[in-house]
Amino acid sequence: MPEPVSDVILLTGKPAELLRSVAASLRRGSRASVSLLPATSRLLVAVSKPNVRAVLFLLSREEEIEPIRWMVQQTSSVPVFALLPKKDARLRQQLLRAGAAGVVQLRGLKGPRAQQELAGLVEMLKSQAGPKYVASQRIAADLHTARSALTAVLGNAELALQSCSRSGPLRKHLREIVRGVYEIEDALRRMERMLPPR
């Protein structure tokens, strides 16, 4: 009888030295296998395997929020967690809004504090499995996509309003677009509040 395949945690990001330290700490604190992969198509192929528990993305700078958004949308069946090398409350909120399943703030990997942070992450991974969690992650990602599209619609409608004459026939229609976008955004926010907390 073949041995069951263990859960796999996929780890990606920069800087490489810190990434290797995170991997070593996770291997000590979890029974799961930890694989280091670049954030490329190889990662997307690996994440489609049934034994993958989570993707952990170590950010080295704020600009890497966009790859996290992309990864959340591409890996809707697996939670994506963000790892931050230092405490940054604003960035943490941005990551959660971008669809990260959770954010772990590492203050360097020396000492018991970092080990506690990673132990907490391992516990989080154990509890965040199953179809309900995956469905709520997909809904959160879709809500983010819809709100991004609405921002573009609103921006263009407001620009058109500025260049439209005060008594022009299009002005009424553009105001209706702006009003409709605000109504949809309110509805999306209500839906977002109904999702389970991350």
Side-chain angles (χ1 to χ4, degrees):
M1 184 172 190
E3 207 172 294
V5 180
S6 68
D7 288 340
V8 175
I9 298 171
L10 302 177
L11 190 56
T12 190
K14 296 173 187 168
E17 185 179 317
L18 184 55
L19 196 64
R20 284 190 294 273
S21 295
V22 170
S25 295
L26 285 171
R27 286 181 183 122
R28 282 192 300 271
S30 168
R31 291 185 184 173
S33 166
V34 179
S35 296
L36 275 73
L37 290 171
T40 62
S41 57
R42 276 183 61 206
L43 179 64
L44 290 179
V45 170
V47 86
S48 66
K49 295 180 179 168
N51 61 332
V52 172
R53 169 73 71 173
V55 175
L56 309 181
F57 194 110
L58 177 63
L59 278 80
S60 60
R61 60 187 193 278
E62 189 174 333
E63 291 78 25
E64 290 170 348
I65 289 177
E66 204 49 50
I68 292 259
R69 282 190 186 110
W70 174 80
M71 205 173 302
V72 165
Q73 290 174 354
Q74 299 299 315
T75 61
S76 59
S77 61
V78 175
V80 177
F81 289 85
L83 307 177
L84 298 178
K86 60 184 180 184
K87 190 171 183 175
D88 187 332
R90 189 178 61 82
L91 183 54
R92 182 181 188 282
Q93 285 304 314
Q94 287 179 318
L95 287 161
L96 290 173
R97 280 196 302 273
V103 178
V104 176
Q105 295 172 335
L106 305 170
R107 293 168 190 87
L109 282 173
K110 293 174 183 154
R113 179 106 188 193
Q115 292 302 320
Q116 279 180 332
E117 299 275 358
L118 288 170
L121 175 62
V122 170
E123 288 306 309
M124 212 186 304
L125 294 177
K126 288 177 185 171
S127 67
Q128 305 245 347
K132 279 188 179 177
Y133 172 77
V134 170
S136 71
Q137 285 302 104
R138 183 69 250 170
I139 291 167
D142 288 345
L143 285 171
H144 172 75
T145 302
R147 289 170 83 181
S148 294
L150 284 173
T151 299
V153 171
L154 180 63
N156 283 304
E158 287 176 339
L159 283 172
L161 265 172
Q162 288 174 2
S163 61
C164 184
S165 69
R166 295 235 181 250
S167 59
L170 291 178
R171 192 164 191 81
K172 179 182 175 187
H173 300 296
L174 290 170
R175 281 193 185 138
E176 276 302 302
I177 291 171
V178 170
R179 187 192 60 73
V181 166
Y182 282 123
E183 280 183 26
I184 294 169
E185 282 182 339
D186 287 343
L188 292 176
R189 269 192 280 281
R190 285 192 301 273
M191 290 169 65
E192 197 169 38
R193 284 193 295 269
M194 289 189 289
L195 290 173
R198 290 191 283 234

